[in-house]
Amino acid sequence: MATIAVTGSTGHLGRLVVEKLLQSGVEPSRIIAVARTPARAADLAERGVQVRAGDYSDPASLPAALAGVDTLLLVSGSELGQRVAQHTAVIEAAKAAGVGWIVYTSAPRADVTDLSLAAEHKATEEVLAAAGVPFTVLRINWYHENYTAQLGQYLSQGFVLGAAGDGRIRGASRADFAAGIAKVLTTSGHDNAIYEFGGTPFTLAELAATITEVTGTTVTYRDVTVVELAAALGQAGLDETTAGLFAGIDGSIRGGALDVDADDLQRLLGRPTSSLADAVRAAKV
């Protein structure tokens, strides 16, 4: 059986992928959890998973982290502005280590979207395609948790504030995305494929209605302009650049950036993705 390495293994998505691999029957000793801080993966080590130190920003740490790896899941980094260099370092180290297949978590329609966060993903996809190593790109839509993590705020203020208009978001739970990724990692036929992973579409107005239905507390959607949203986010404590970035994302959603009509995830899972209502219920507990 191939040895599978998962980078970012102590992050939200990477951790779930490791769990899904274990649940699917992959021998723990064949899983390599690469982490910037290995101590945070001590529980995985106790279960027989190989835990190795590896830091995207420290290329010298990567050869040992990737030694003997057959398949690599490169979970995209979170440091905006640094990711192309970081991802390139991992891809180059993987090629040098003889990794036979690299799977990368990208952004929806990364090659054509105006979504600001996608530029680094597009550049990484180009580096990956030029590396000469078989690859698979998984373009991950929005996590339900991007919104349900703010459930308490929505309930206390009585509204969801956004600038997305009627733009649809084909979101799914992190667990569903992780299950789809694990399925790809443990099956064949994905060489040089690009998959769009998403779930059942919803608008922010539908998010508010779902919160109302599940919790019994009335929450509405308050649609504003991108400029107004940026100002509100600034008043909430975000710096000007970050506020502008997040407000701009809503503007892209309004234009359809996250409304990607594809069933790749559902096809691989062999089932529908979990519902937005389920996500709200889980966050409510």
Side-chain angles (χ1 to χ4, degrees), residues 11-191:
H12 291 299
L13 182 62
R15 168 67 68 139
L16 281 171
V17 172
V18 172
E19 293 290 348
K20 296 295 182 182
L21 289 172
L22 291 168
Q23 291 169 17
S24 70
V26 177
E27 288 292 330
S29 62
R30 307 302 294 176
I31 302 172
I32 298 171
V34 180
R36 177 181 294 178
T37 308
R40 294 179 57 195
D43 62 309
L44 294 176
E46 291 173 356
R47 295 160 68 184
V49 174
Q50 296 186 55
V51 176
R52 298 181 183 176
D55 187 338
Y56 295 167
S57 298
D58 180 13
S61 72
L62 299 174
L66 301 179
V69 169
D70 298 306
T71 297
L72 170 65
L73 172 65
L74 171 53
V75 177
S76 57
S78 59
E79 297 177 80
L80 302 184
Q82 307 298 317
R83 295 190 290 181
V84 177
Q86 292 174 340
H87 297 163
T88 298
V90 177
I91 293 167
E92 291 178 347
K95 182 176 181 178
V99 172
W101 180 28
I102 302 173
V103 179
Y104 173 64
T105 62
S106 189
R109 288 191 295 215
D111 55 337
V112 297
T113 186
D114 67 351
L115 195 66
S116 58
L117 293 176
E120 290 177 296
H121 290 292
K122 178 184 178 183
T124 300
E125 289 187 14
E126 292 169 350
V127 171
L128 188 56
V133 178
F135 67 89
T136 304
V137 171
L138 306 179
R139 293 174 172 169
I140 310 294
N141 212 296
W142 254 218
Y143 304 135
H144 284 157
E145 290 85 351
N146 288 352
Y147 298 106
T148 59
Q150 304 174 68
L151 181 60
Q153 176 184 335
Y154 298 150
L155 292 171
S156 64
Q157 66 190 17
F159 60 87
V160 174
L161 183 68
D166 293 327
R168 301 202 302 175
I169 301 155
R170 291 187 180 259
S173 69
R174 279 198 188 97
D176 278 341
F177 286 127
I181 293 168
K183 187 73 171 182
V184 169
L185 292 171
T186 55
T187 55
S188 60
H190 310 295
D191 283 4

Side-chain angles (χ1 to χ4, degrees), residues 261-277:
D261 188 7
D263 65 352
D264 293 335
L265 179 58
Q266 294 84 346
R267 176 176 52 82
L268 286 162
L269 293 177
R271 60 170 174 81
T273 54
S274 56
S275 70
L276 181 61

Side-chain angles (χ1 to χ4, degrees), residues 217-240:
T217 298
T218 300
V219 174
T220 60
Y221 174 52
R222 184 174 298 178
D223 192 50
V224 296
T225 67
V226 169
V227 172
E228 289 169 336
L229 180 58
L233 293 173
Q235 291 171 2
L238 294 183
D239 63 81
E240 183 177 353

